């Protein structure tokens, strides 16, 4: 299985568990396991545990320690303006930025994606009711890493 070998808290180390990688703490930066742990993950990205290994290591931040796991960057559900959206197309992600508080804020500016990310549209979903009148639709997006695919450099 391809993916990133890293460490995850024992209690969270379950296939399918998703988490946002955050900026490492000062303690993490000084840890001997930093490079195999958070050093391999990009901050502000959503990861999903794909495989759990047997090895457990002590960690001052996780009560039961950390377990060796294989993760991959997880798809992210987002709201996108419904302008010629097509499943299988590659698009440049642009968060919907508005000043109104609404229940869709998490879809309009989802954790795990950044403005300018090149993403593959895996699946299109229902329309999203926008209180400011935008025509929005749910889309399941998978970030296309520039180093993993020659198609990533193509424009949609």
């Amino acid at each position: 299985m391809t993916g990133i070998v890293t460490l995850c808290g024992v209690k969270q180390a379950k296939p399918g568990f998703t988490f946002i990688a955050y900026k490492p703490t000062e303690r993490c930066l000084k840890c001997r396991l930093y490079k195999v742990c958070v050093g391999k993950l990009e901050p502000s990205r959503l990861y999903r545990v794909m495989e759990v290994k047997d090895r457990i290591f002590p960690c001052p931040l996780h009560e039961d320690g950390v377990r060796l796991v294989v993760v991959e960057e997880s798809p992210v559900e987002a709201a996108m303006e419904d302008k010629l959206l097509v499943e299988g197309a590659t698009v440049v992600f642009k968060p919907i930025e508005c000043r109104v508080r609404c229940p869709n804020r998490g879809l309009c500016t989802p954790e795990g994606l950044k403005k300018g990310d090149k993403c593959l549209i895996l699946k299109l979903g229902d329309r999203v009711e926008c209180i400011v009148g935008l025509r929005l639709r749910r889309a399941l997006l998978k970030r296309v890493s520039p180093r993993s695919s020659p198609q990533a450099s193509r424009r949609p």
Side-chain angles (χ1 to χ4, degrees), residues 91-123:
V91 296
V92 175
F93 178 70
K94 183 178 167 191
I96 308 296
E97 297 175 10
C98 68
R99 300 186 195 288
V100 179
R101 289 203 179 268
C102 81
N104 297 317
R105 190 181 246 356
L107 284 173
C108 292
T109 56
E111 288 189 287
L113 291 176
K114 299 175 186 175
K115 183 177 183 176
D117 282 345
K118 290 183 181 170
C119 300
L120 177 66
I121 299 175
L122 297 176
K123 185 174 182 173

Side-chain angles (χ1 to χ4, degrees), residues 53-112:
K53 305 288 188 176
D54 291 336
R55 295 284 314 263
I56 296 176
F57 301 92
C59 173
L61 301 180
H62 291 271
E63 184 180 336
D64 296 326
V66 288
R67 185 180 293 269
L68 197 62
V69 295
V70 178
V71 300
E72 71 176 12
E73 201 169 317
S74 182
V76 176
E77 187 176 45
M80 296 186 70
E81 289 194 59
D82 194 5
K83 295 180 183 175
L84 301 174
L85 294 178
V86 178
E87 285 183 15
T90 301
V91 296
V92 175
F93 178 70
K94 183 178 167 191
I96 308 296
E97 297 175 10
C98 68
R99 300 186 195 288
V100 179
R101 289 203 179 268
C102 81
N104 297 317
R105 190 181 246 356
L107 284 173
C108 292
T109 56
E111 288 189 287

Side-chain angles (χ1 to χ4, degrees), residues 29 31 33 41 50 64-65 69 73 104 108 138:
L29 293 171
C31 178
L33 298 173
L41 304 178
M50 303 303 296
D64 296 326
V69 295
E73 201 169 317
N104 297 317
C108 292
R138 290 177 185 266

Side-chain angles (χ1 to χ4, degrees), residues 104-156:
N104 297 317
R105 190 181 246 356
L107 284 173
C108 292
T109 56
E111 288 189 287
L113 291 176
K114 299 175 186 175
K115 183 177 183 176
D117 282 345
K118 290 183 181 170
C119 300
L120 177 66
I121 299 175
L122 297 176
K123 185 174 182 173
L124 290 173
D126 298 332
R127 298 212 183 278
V128 175
E129 194 168 321
C130 175
I131 59 177
V132 296
L134 297 175
R135 291 187 51 143
L136 302 177
R137 192 166 179 186
R138 290 177 185 266
L140 187 61
L141 305 174
K142 175 83 170 173
R143 188 171 72 113
V144 180
S145 171
R147 59 189 177 270
S148 68
S149 169
Q151 296 176 343
S153 61
R154 292 187 194 156
R155 294 172 79 69

